[in-house]
Amino acid sequence: MVPSVRPLRQLVVSPTRFFEERPPAETLPIAAGIVIVFAVALTGGILLVGSMLAGSVDATVTMDNPERPPDFVCEQHADDPDSAFGDGCDEPKTIERDAGELIREAANDSLWIGLVGPFVLWILGTVTLFAGGRLAAGDPSVAGTAALAGWAALPEFVRLAAGFIGLWYVLDDLTITTLDGAPAVLEAAMASIEPVLLIASIVTLVWQWSILSAGLSEDAGISRGAAAVAVGVPLVIFFVFGAL
């Protein structure tokens, strides 16, 4: 069940009151739904990024022909008509592939990140919040901290949307003609939107801190200040490592 507009507004403006009226543990089903929706959005985003990158690349790549056996096999069996190992040795050693198609295939191979990543972070977030509440001399619940870790995925939609919109803006008029120079070209193009992405990341971080500190204070029975420290330290560490 997705939260309605009024509770969502309250979650932004007054997260303390939100969790006073709705104990974190009781919101676990909604929080789980948010994580699921985020995983679906992230997976769709990976497909979208792959498609955008593929559309911006106009190049071909020379690569080994997967239909041809290795050279040592062909050297031994190519002239033997009775050997099944020689099949395909008449194929060319290399083939030309569309670089955009290779990028799209790579994106498809990375879909598992979108499907699995959010749930791994959900588990890590639950453990971190539970440990933080204990270290702050509180009594957090597993269900409550799991719900809060799930709610932390909600602000991530801000960062996700900013990243996709920014990438679309950068790639709209960009054409990459060689894969060797693609990373440098893409990095130079992304430099123009880095301030916007940084602002989106900071907004996401502050919103997460506000939600989690208010929720942990309610769930663990500790002061808002103690909860703010217990939540803020791992969030800042995660932010710094993510920026490296």
Side-chain angles (χ1 to χ4, degrees):
M1 179 180 179
V2 178
S4 62
V5 175
R6 183 177 176 277
L8 184 59
R9 186 187 303 115
Q10 189 181 52
L11 186 64
V12 176
V13 177
S14 180
T16 299
R17 185 173 179 181
F18 178 89
F19 288 114
E20 285 177 349
E21 297 178 0
R22 306 167 186 83
E26 295 181 6
T27 67
L28 181 56
I30 300 176
I34 292 173
V35 176
I36 293 172
V37 172
F38 181 71
V40 172
L42 184 58
T43 303
I46 293 174
L47 285 173
L48 179 61
V49 169
S51 178
M52 288 192 296
L53 287 173
S56 297
V57 174
D58 184 15
T60 58
V61 176
T62 301
M63 58 183 298
D64 292 336
N65 187 354
E67 302 297 328
R68 188 180 191 276
D71 288 341
F72 74 88
V73 174
C74 290
E75 289 173 359
Q76 298 180 27
H77 302 280
D79 297 329
D80 185 356
D82 297 326
S83 175
F85 294 104
D87 292 343
C89 287
D90 56 342
E91 297 287 339
K93 291 184 178 182
T94 60
I95 57 174
E96 294 289 325
R97 289 287 309 275
D98 180 70
E101 186 62 29
L102 291 176
I103 292 174
R104 187 176 284 107
E105 291 175 2
N108 292 340
D109 292 339
S110 301
L111 291 180
W112 66 271
I113 297 175
L115 293 172
V116 176
F119 295 97
V120 172
L121 292 176
W122 187 18
I123 294 172
L124 292 177
T126 300
V127 173
T128 301
L129 289 172
F130 187 86
R134 287 289 191 180
L135 290 174
D139 186 25
S141 66
V142 174
T145 51
L148 293 173
W151 280 106
L154 186 61
E156 287 294 339
F157 283 96
V158 174
R159 193 190 335 239
L160 192 65
F164 291 150
I165 294 172
L167 190 61
W168 172 82
Y169 173 80
V170 166
L171 296 177
D172 189 38
D173 295 322
L174 184 68
T175 300
I176 300 173
T177 56
T178 61
L179 282 190
D180 291 338
V185 172
L186 190 58
E187 183 177 353
M190 292 292 291
S192 62
I193 63 169
E194 283 182 357
V196 176
L197 298 181
L198 178 59
I199 291 173
S201 293
I202 293 174
V203 169
T204 299
L205 180 71
V206 171
W207 190 10
Q208 287 173 329
W209 175 79
S210 176
I211 291 174
L212 295 179
S213 57
L216 187 61
S217 174
E218 177 67 25
D219 184 68
I222 57 179
S223 68
R224 179 66 183 269
V229 173
V231 168
V233 171
L235 275 180
V236 170
I237 293 174
F238 178 78
F239 179 80
V240 171
F241 273 95
L244 295 179

